[in-house]
Amino acid sequence: MIIKNGNIFTMAGEPLERGDILIKDGKIKEVGVDLNYEEEEIINAEGKIVIPGMIDAHCHVGIFEENMRAEGSDGNEMTNPVTPELRAIDGINPFDKSFEDAREGGITTVVTGPGSANVVGGQFVALKTYGISIDEMILKEPVAMKVAFGENPKRVYREKGKTPMTRMATAAILRETLLETLNYIEKKKVAKEKGEFFEKKLKYESLIPVIEKKIPLKAHAHRADDILTAIRIAKEFDLKITLDHCTEGHLIGEQIKRSGKDAIIGPTMTTNSKIELSNKTFKTPKELVNKGVKVAIMTDYPVIPIKYLPVCAALAMKEGLSFYESLKAITINAAEIVGIDNRVGSIEKGKDADIVILSGSPFELSTKTLYTIIDGKVVYKEA
């Protein structure tokens, strides 16, 4: 396949006017102007906008199914506040309509997984939005370990009369779990050195990639003090962490910048449905970018329909975020923050051919998705 004559935002350099993208075996083979080609399938993108496939860096696509209640709600195991052994891939339905909606909206990758009922909720996965088998859709698994601060764990377990009922308990439970994992690793090491049998525990095995900094904690935190608690614990244990939601991030921009942590902001296109959302604003992305923080924007689907990811970025642009930073927040920044930028997030030679062709600016409501291409295959085409 070759895409010809498009106005290409590669997200890896200056935009290309009347540029071409050559695709071979699901990968981007070449990007340039007036490329030579002998391809059977030609897409003429003259006068159209071409961008990398969009990425939702935090959502619950497929694990909270559309039009479902208990039957399709598989995101929160509300029986124990510490469940790191849970894997999103075992609860996602690839036939859920949200995947179809994502493709229609130009979203080619979703980072999806457990909700925020538990202090430690389980493993997130990065998926392509096309396929019938989760195992074949996986881009990276696990991509992160979900943890939660603030109101949600408190509310869930207060109703059960169990800990955690306070923010102090939430932080203590997370610290205790991390310490137990460190002790587990040491005992495992000693047993191996002595040639002794060691009984593995899935709970702690699941957290070893976190301790080894192979994956980050994905920290649900809205309020400023919760964000700072997440940063504090990550520093104590020398862990990678992303600040997800980061609703009051604009109030502590300097502290977030000094921490060196990245922010995944949203869902902002909602009502202030709980106390910790009182200071929610679309100004947050601009304020953090101005401080030098790397920012992505998310839908937190099903809170916001997945196909409205670019609308969320457009509303941030309306509040002062530049066009290019808004586009980065749903493409290359999202990929870099979650650690999948070696394959997606920009239109570059060697990367997956995940590409979207649009009738106009991605941030205009009247713009239509003309083509969504995943791994070099057209998976959505405007009728």
Side-chain angles (χ1 to χ4, degrees), residues 115-150:
S116 51
N118 293 346
V119 178
V120 184
Q123 295 177 348
F124 259 63
V125 60
L127 290 177
K128 299 295 182 78
T129 57
Y130 177 78
I132 60 173
S133 165
I134 288 297
D135 304 271
E136 296 167 4
M137 297 161 68
I138 290 171
L139 201 158
K140 184 177 180 181
E141 196 276 328
V143 72
M145 177 64 70
K146 179 68 177 292
V147 296
F149 297 86

Side-chain angles (χ1 to χ4, degrees), residues 268-328:
T268 317
M269 198 170 71
T270 63
T271 59
N272 294 351
S273 57
K274 50 186 179 177
I275 296 297
E276 62 188 6
L277 301 183
S278 298
N279 291 310
K280 179 169 61 64
T281 171
F282 272 108
K283 291 183 172 69
T284 306
K286 178 198 72 173
E287 295 295 330
L288 288 183
V289 167
N290 287 350
K291 291 290 185 182
V293 177
K294 186 177 292 184
V295 164
I297 291 173
M298 56 129 130
T299 64
D300 202 21
Y301 172 92
V303 181
I304 297 170
I306 186 72
K307 63 185 175 182
Y308 293 153
L309 178 63
V311 176
C312 295
L315 290 169
M317 189 170 71
K318 181 180 178 182
E319 294 296 341
L321 193 64
S322 72
F323 173 94
Y324 201 66
E325 288 293 339
S326 298
L327 190 53
K328 285 169 67 177

Side-chain angles (χ1 to χ4, degrees), residues 87-109:
R87 298 177 182 177
I89 55 172
D90 299 320
I92 295 169
N93 177 9
F95 294 95
D96 186 60
K97 188 178 182 296
S98 56
F99 285 101
E100 180 184 336
D101 290 345
R103 298 191 295 270
E104 181 182 345
I107 293 89
T108 57
T109 297

Side-chain angles (χ1 to χ4, degrees), residues 306-366:
I306 186 72
K307 63 185 175 182
Y308 293 153
L309 178 63
V311 176
C312 295
L315 290 169
M317 189 170 71
K318 181 180 178 182
E319 294 296 341
L321 193 64
S322 72
F323 173 94
Y324 201 66
E325 288 293 339
S326 298
L327 190 53
K328 285 169 67 177
I330 54 175
T331 56
I332 190 60
N333 278 9
E336 290 176 350
I337 289 171
V338 302
I340 54 175
D341 56 299
N342 61 318
R343 290 185 56 186
V344 295
S346 60
I347 299 174
E348 295 182 80
K349 183 178 180 178
K351 286 197 175 183
D352 295 1
D354 293 1
I355 297 164
V356 178
I357 303 175
L358 303 167
S359 64
S361 166
F363 305 131
E364 289 288 342
L365 287 179
S366 59

